[in-house]
Amino acid sequence: MSEDEQVERSAVERTREFFSRRAAVYDFAFFKLSPFMPVVRSIVEDRKALTSNMKVLDAGAGTGLVTRVLYSLAREQGLCGIVFHAFDLTQAMLDVFHGWIRAERAENVISTRVQDVLHLETLPPAWSNYDLIVTSTMLEYVPPASLDKALAGLIGLLKPGGKMIWLLSGRTLPMRFFVGWLWRANLYTKSELEAVLAKAGAVNVEYLSLPRPYPTTKHLLVVEITRP
């Protein structure tokens, strides 16, 4: 096993253990206390990113907050034929999500699986060719030296013309405490992201301005990547 593989394996074990013990706390914090879900909704609505007959992936779904937003928005707008896939590294996080899926009776349209973003080659064949991928608060747990590998893998799951929306915390003082220290995530500046995006082969990249002034938006970076 190479040194990079050892680092990746250690990061997986550490992250899985960390979130296995905090799944309920995470869900409460980001569902009840944070403006995270309204921010995601405003971005998706502003970009008109959701349409009927799409195939959507929530990469690093955690307790399913992003998919909850997209599923609810699709129902409100009368959209149909959307297939939702969601993966996460930690079964305990998905267990919380499964409770919501059952309550919504959405088992027929939302599929989940435990998955390491650094080993996307193990995904079933049907988990590919996406119109839209949304990833939030997941890639910050990938070892920095492997971030471009994870990003390139996700871009490779898009169909030509498909889009990925990537939300991540900026390296601001509040986020250094709340996300970096409390939730033990890696934080990046915009210039660091640009280097990673280039290394991952992302050529059609746009940094999005958040459409509504929620209190945390100045601490977030939102990147939209379109596959050629």
Side-chain angles (χ1 to χ4, degrees):
M1 184 182 296
S2 70
E3 183 177 347
D4 284 347
E5 289 172 333
Q6 290 176 345
V7 171
E8 291 172 2
R9 182 172 180 178
S10 177
V12 165
E13 293 173 352
R14 185 171 59 251
T15 301
R16 183 173 284 144
E17 179 184 5
F18 182 82
F19 282 100
S20 291
R21 292 185 281 111
R22 294 169 173 82
V25 173
Y26 175 94
D27 190 66
F28 179 80
F30 286 91
F31 182 60
K32 296 291 188 181
L33 303 180
S34 165
F36 173 77
M37 293 175 73
V39 167
V40 172
R41 181 187 176 102
S42 70
I43 293 169
V44 173
E45 288 182 315
D46 185 67
R47 303 303 291 180
K48 297 179 174 58
L50 204 61
T51 60
S52 292
N53 303 311
M54 294 185 78
K55 195 173 181 182
V56 179
L57 174 64
D58 182 355
T63 59
L65 299 180
V66 167
T67 300
R68 296 187 211 183
V69 171
L70 299 179
Y71 178 80
S72 299
L73 189 57
R75 293 188 65 182
E76 290 173 20
Q77 296 181 351
L79 304 178
C80 59
I82 301 177
V83 174
F84 293 97
H85 289 169
F87 74 70
D88 196 77
L89 184 65
T90 308
Q91 183 64 56
M93 299 284 274
L94 291 176
D95 287 344
V96 176
F97 187 19
H98 292 160
W100 182 89
I101 293 173
R102 288 191 297 270
E104 292 291 321
R105 299 181 180 179
E107 294 94 337
N108 291 334
V109 294
I110 302 176
S111 301
T112 70
R113 63 178 277 118
V114 173
Q115 181 69 44
D116 182 354
V117 71
L118 291 172
H119 292 283
L120 296 175
E121 72 280 359
T122 64
L123 283 170
W127 286 57
S128 61
N129 206 38
Y130 291 101
D131 298 281
L132 175 67
I133 296 176
V134 181
T135 184
S136 175
T137 68
M138 184 264 290
L139 292 175
E140 292 98 314
Y141 291 91
V142 173
S146 302
L147 182 57
D148 63 290
K149 173 184 173 182
L151 191 57
L154 289 174
I155 295 171
L157 294 179
L158 289 167
K159 67 189 298 185
K163 294 182 181 295
M164 182 169 82
I165 297 175
W166 177 16
L167 296 88
L168 70 163
S169 303
R171 193 187 288 170
T172 62
L173 186 59
M175 289 305 188
R176 287 181 181 180
F177 170 76
F178 183 70
V179 177
W181 182 77
L182 194 61
W183 289 98
R184 302 182 185 178
N186 301 306
L187 300 176
Y188 298 92
T189 63
K190 185 176 178 180
S191 61
E192 289 170 335
L193 284 186
E194 289 173 347
V196 171
L197 287 161
K199 194 173 180 181
V203 292
N204 298 323
V205 177
E206 183 178 353
Y207 290 89
L208 304 183
S209 298
L210 297 177
R212 298 177 186 172
Y214 292 104
T216 60
T217 54
K218 66 180 180 180
H219 305 298
L220 293 176
L221 294 170
V222 184
V223 183
E224 184 180 79
I225 303 164
T226 304
R227 183 174 182 178

